[in-house]
Amino acid sequence: MIALHTIPDFLETEIFLSVLLYLLLFSILLNMFITVYEYLGAQAIVGALSGRYSKPAEEDLTFLFIDLRSSTTLAERMGHIQYSLFIENSFQILTDSIYKYNATIYQFVGDEAVLLWPSKNARKTLAPIHFYFDFIEQLQRNGPRFITEFGEVPHFKAAIHSGLVTVTEIRTVKKDIVYHGDVLNTCARIMGQCSSLNKDILISSVVASWLQDTHGFKANLTIELPLRGKVELTAIYELTPVFF
């Protein structure tokens, strides 16, 4: 054992100072890694470090677009500061579901979030679908707090689509991983139909096909539309949970 009277001397030794400096640097690097991990996600980090996305690559991914309903009306009524806090509180709850269902954050744009999963995993676990309903359940559970603080409970609409996209690394002022392709455009346009059709969550025919062998959710063909930029009609399904 180290005698108590020798501790002050030990604290001044080069060994202690070296260990302290090492721990400080390790803590800084760890915090930096955690911040980057939370921002990009594991898939993007591995791809960037390995140089996988230095040239455009094709991947099969599933995207979930989620957006706050009546955002303009809420912003005007609450004011910018209160509305920003409203969104921040909503996305804090969203983060819990992100960790729970292993989603990768592509981007936050205002009151909209875009999340993604490898399609192989999404198809097997239905993680994007479970993610949405888990998030909605948590919002409802926190409803009384939102009413007290903001006078309103947030309601989100969403769309899910899956398919091949191009992934590449952009090097400008900062590095970023970006995704291109018809899948994202179609998913955004499907979500645009949520307001027109007054539906909470809409999915593509690709995602609807995953539900044939499951009893937890039901996909109802809602409409077939000639979405802008597409020649063929796009089948859009409403997604609903099935309760027994």
Side-chain angles (χ1 to χ4, degrees), residues 62-67 106-107 109 112-115 157-163 165 179-197 199-204 207 225 227-230 234-236:
T62 298
F63 288 85
L64 182 146
F65 283 52
I66 189 164
D67 190 21
Y106 176 27
Q107 59 186 10
V109 182
E112 177 183 327
V114 180
L115 309 171
K157 58 187 177 183
I160 306 174
H161 187 32
S162 181
V165 298
Y179 303 86
H180 302 289
D182 180 67
V183 171
L184 287 93
N185 297 332
T186 299
C187 194
R189 289 166 186 162
I190 290 175
M191 189 175 69
Q193 295 299 316
C194 287
S195 297
S196 303
L197 300 172
K199 303 296 183 183
D200 290 327
I201 179 168
L202 297 172
I203 60 176
S204 66
V207 179
L225 291 176
L227 295 183
R228 181 166 52 88
K230 298 180 72 68
T234 299
I236 300 176

Side-chain angles (χ1 to χ4, degrees), residues 19 134 228:
V19 171
D134 181 76
R228 181 166 52 88

